[in-house]
Amino acid sequence: MLEINRLDVYYGYVQALRGLSLKVQKGVLLAIVGANGAGKSTLLETLAGLHRPAGGDIILKGKSIAGKPPEYIVKQGISLVPERREIFHSLSVQDNLLLGAYHRYRSDRKEIIADMEDVLELFPALKGRERDLAGGLSGGLQQMLAIGRGLMARPKLLLLDEPSTGLAPLVVREIMSSLKKLKNAGVTIVLVEQNTQHALRIADHVLVMERGRVTLSGSSREIMSDFRVQQAYLGRN
Ligand code: ATP
């Protein structure tokens, strides 16, 4: 579905991605783990059109999307749920969700209402809170709202940047199980996670990133049993 070939991305003189290549198969949940500064967020942001690569290519369903603007990429079916959630605190839950569908607002209102109902089915904790201000929600509900807003774009590929940050284990479990449901409903997912244990449990395939490159790749079972991963990311000796 998605193929990245030798991608280079810089911040000024700092090279964040160094000839990174990877493939994402349709219908999988791919987890990307790695230390702080490995380039995970930069990778997702580049896929979403927020950074222009200096080299390499990004091919989505046979078409190059590298360097295309974010609005174009959303229309191609890629939606990013950013690390800092970036929901609008002074807007209602409903308006935040509607913003996720802004690019098709004129054409399909009925579908938009139906999609909003689907999001509330997926995250029942948001039900009844539609008119509440997003800023008053707990961290867990804000994260569910951020994912819900991403889904309102009807993505074929959903990118999530550390959705578990700062959340209680029970809430993280709820969010991870909703990602599994989404995958079963046919959404391809790339999940960047600091919380390696949770990510490995739900992922089909796992990549380890170090200093702007993919250094290890395998099924989640293979990666979980890799000695280096156990030491570096799972806190086992
Ligand atoms: P984290 O988990 O801390 O977000 P990460 O794996 O997502 O880490 P990135 O945030 O993508 O890593 O950062 C990759 C590299 O790019 C790091 O060396 C980082 O210092 C650098 N970097 C990231 N953002 C900027 C920026 N705006 N300006 C300059 N350098 C940056």
Side-chain angles (χ1 to χ4, degrees), residues 41-220:
S41 300
T42 304
L43 171 62
L44 294 192
E45 288 164 6
T46 307
L47 288 176
L50 300 173
H51 306 298
R52 179 178 280 274
D57 211 352
I58 305 169
I59 313 284
L60 179 71
K61 289 179 273 166
K63 270 202 289 190
S64 171
I65 56 161
K68 293 271 198 289
E71 314 81 76
Y72 173 86
I73 288 178
V74 169
K75 285 189 193 146
Q76 301 309 306
I78 297 185
S79 186
L80 169 66
V81 182
E83 186 169 8
R84 284 178 304 157
R85 297 170 194 153
E86 289 168 18
I87 57 169
F88 294 93
H89 286 224
S90 56
L91 294 181
S92 68
V93 166
Q94 179 170 303
D95 287 345
N96 268 280
L97 290 176
L98 287 175
L99 277 171
Y102 76 94
H103 65 288
R104 59 193 180 97
Y105 203 61
R106 289 217 181 105
S107 52
D108 30 271
R109 294 216 170 181
K110 267 196 194 140
E111 278 95 335
I112 289 173
I113 303 290
D115 289 349
M116 197 135 68
E117 279 163 13
D118 287 347
V119 168
L120 297 175
E121 275 316 303
L122 185 66
F123 297 119
L126 288 173
K127 261 190 204 169
R129 308 290 303 263
E130 295 91 319
R131 289 176 199 285
D132 292 359
L133 288 185
L137 300 179
S138 66
L141 289 188
Q142 288 190 4
Q143 184 60 65
M144 292 174 196
L145 178 57
I147 298 172
R149 185 185 53 189
L151 290 173
M152 291 297 291
R154 288 201 167 178
K156 305 231 168 8
L157 175 62
L158 183 68
L159 311 173
L160 296 126
D161 199 351
E162 298 193 12
S164 72
T165 302
L167 302 181
L170 210 62
V171 183
V172 175
R173 222 168 293 153
E174 206 176 323
I175 287 176
M176 294 296 153
S177 103
S178 70
L179 296 184
K180 237 174 154 175
K181 282 185 200 152
L182 279 174
K183 188 197 85 166
N184 292 338
V187 183
T188 305
I189 297 177
V190 176
L191 169 67
V192 157
E193 260 301 342
Q194 213 53 268
N195 195 329
T196 308
Q197 308 238 17
H198 282 288
L200 291 187
R201 217 168 290 144
I202 62 162
D204 302 303
H205 204 84
V206 182
L207 301 179
V208 178
M209 272 183 75
E210 283 172 67
R211 277 172 266 117
R213 292 191 186 95
V214 174
T215 51
L216 203 59
S217 140
S219 69
S220 54

